[in-house]
Amino acid sequence: MQTSRSHLWPGVPLALGAAILFGASAPFSKLLLGRIDPWLLAGILYIGAGIGLAAVHFGRHIIKLPQVEAPLQKTDLPWLAAVVAIGGGLGPLLLMFGLSLTSAASGSLLLNLEGLATMGIAWLVFKENVDRRLLLGAGAILAGAVMLTWNGQKFQFDWGGVLIAGACLAWGIDNNLTRKLSAADPVQIAMIKGLVAGTVNLAFAFSFGAGLPLASYIAAGAVVGFLGVGVSLVMFMLGLRHLGTARTGAYFSLAPFIGAALAIGLLGETMSAQFAVAGLLMALGLWLHLAERHDHEHRHEALEHDHAHVHDEHHKHAHSGPVIEPHTHFHRHEPMCHKHPHYPDLHHRHSHG
């Protein structure tokens, strides 16, 4: 029987890992812009993610690795369709048209709305617990992201801005709907999303006259997409499983700072006072989140589901023989009442008075 671990593990490292990989993809993508049409690059990034994850998904079956994650079920398909359509189709489409109608400064600032939309929907629509410390931390991270992307130009909220705000809303909805799938295999979900979103973006890019770049640039974009979009998305979904949507989205909002920090080394950009202040604000937000301790007596109602798990305090069922952990199978949770630090994960989505 496995002993109880810190409530920060493994959710926080997974969410931060997702932010690091996604943030790192920005400066590497910037190196490819000018050599690859922006819309075509978006398609290559997503296709690279989808193909790379397909290799992982089918490769583990070929070499007969143990099945650790729960496969998608028929009941997951409506949620998967919504996630692919809203997050993989509508979001990028609104972003591309929005960027074509507004300034780069306004576009960069408005993209920070995704984290706010994710947390707001989780809190107001899905009733996820959000306390004062989390709100302050998220506010500090958002303020740091706004400062980081502000270049002193006049902010314009035109039709392009409306479309970009719509894209952020779409991704906020996408992040919250993805929580409904967080018990299932994240590689399988991210693979489908990457292949569909990549195909859509490639089709639009070619329909607007984009030409094929050199094979070396395509390969580089695919690798960046596999790590910065595909692996990042897998880690984000695993973070959702352990932290809930609001907290995972808040940690993920650190991605712009990661990208800016790498750009200093990769692109020779200079360290500025603006960057330093943004870093301090984000560090404050990160500390507030890490110091959060949600601990109260709570009741678990009877629950039956299937997901990857180990035998911990929430999984005390018996097996008729030896098992390898983690493992997946349909299992039942009996009602229980106890007290320990926790986040709104798969087993702690109870209401608060």
Side-chain angles (χ1 to χ4, degrees), residues 94 141 146 199 252 259 296 314 320:
L94 289 172
I141 291 172
V146 169
T199 301
F252 194 74
H296 63 93
H314 296 100
S320 58

Side-chain angles (χ1 to χ4, degrees), residues 229-299:
V229 176
V231 177
S232 174
L233 181 55
V234 170
M235 296 181 78
F236 182 86
M237 286 189 286
L238 289 172
L240 288 175
R241 181 182 298 177
H242 295 284
L243 300 178
T245 311
R247 287 157 181 83
T248 306
Y251 283 116
F252 194 74
S253 297
L254 292 166
F257 180 76
I258 304 298
L262 284 173
I264 292 173
L266 284 175
L267 306 176
E269 296 183 5
T270 58
M271 175 78 76
S272 64
Q274 181 181 8
F275 178 87
V277 174
L280 288 173
L281 284 169
M282 289 188 163
L284 172 62
L286 180 61
W287 174 79
L288 285 168
H289 287 170
L290 292 175
E292 179 195 12
R293 187 178 178 87
H294 186 69
D295 186 355
H296 63 93
E297 187 172 69
H298 55 276
R299 177 176 173 80

Side-chain angles (χ1 to χ4, degrees), residues 21-22 25 42 45-50 53 190 194 223-235:
L21 286 175
F22 185 76
S25 70
L45 291 173
Y46 274 93
I47 283 289
L53 293 175
V223 171
V224 172
F226 171 62
L227 295 172
V229 176
V231 177
S232 174
L233 181 55
V234 170
M235 296 181 78

Side-chain angles (χ1 to χ4, degrees), residues 134-154:
L134 182 66
L135 286 174
L136 288 173
I141 291 172
L142 182 63
V146 169
M147 175 165 286
L148 198 65
T149 50
W150 175 252
N151 63 7
Q153 296 181 14
K154 182 180 179 181

Side-chain angles (χ1 to χ4, degrees), residues 21-69:
L21 286 175
F22 185 76
S25 70
F28 283 105
S29 296
K30 191 170 182 178
L31 289 172
L32 292 170
L33 288 173
R35 299 172 177 87
I36 305 178
D37 175 83
W39 207 330
L40 183 62
L41 178 58
I44 291 171
L45 291 173
Y46 274 93
I47 283 289
I51 293 175
L53 293 175
V56 173
H57 176 69
F58 294 109
R60 63 190 181 187
H61 292 293
I62 293 173
I63 62 176
K64 298 181 179 179
L65 289 177
Q67 179 65 36
V68 174
E69 293 290 344

Side-chain angles (χ1 to χ4, degrees), residues 102 106 110 113 155-162 165:
T102 195
S106 297
L110 285 166
L113 291 174
F155 178 79
Q156 296 176 328
F157 197 75
D158 47 23
W159 278 111
V162 172

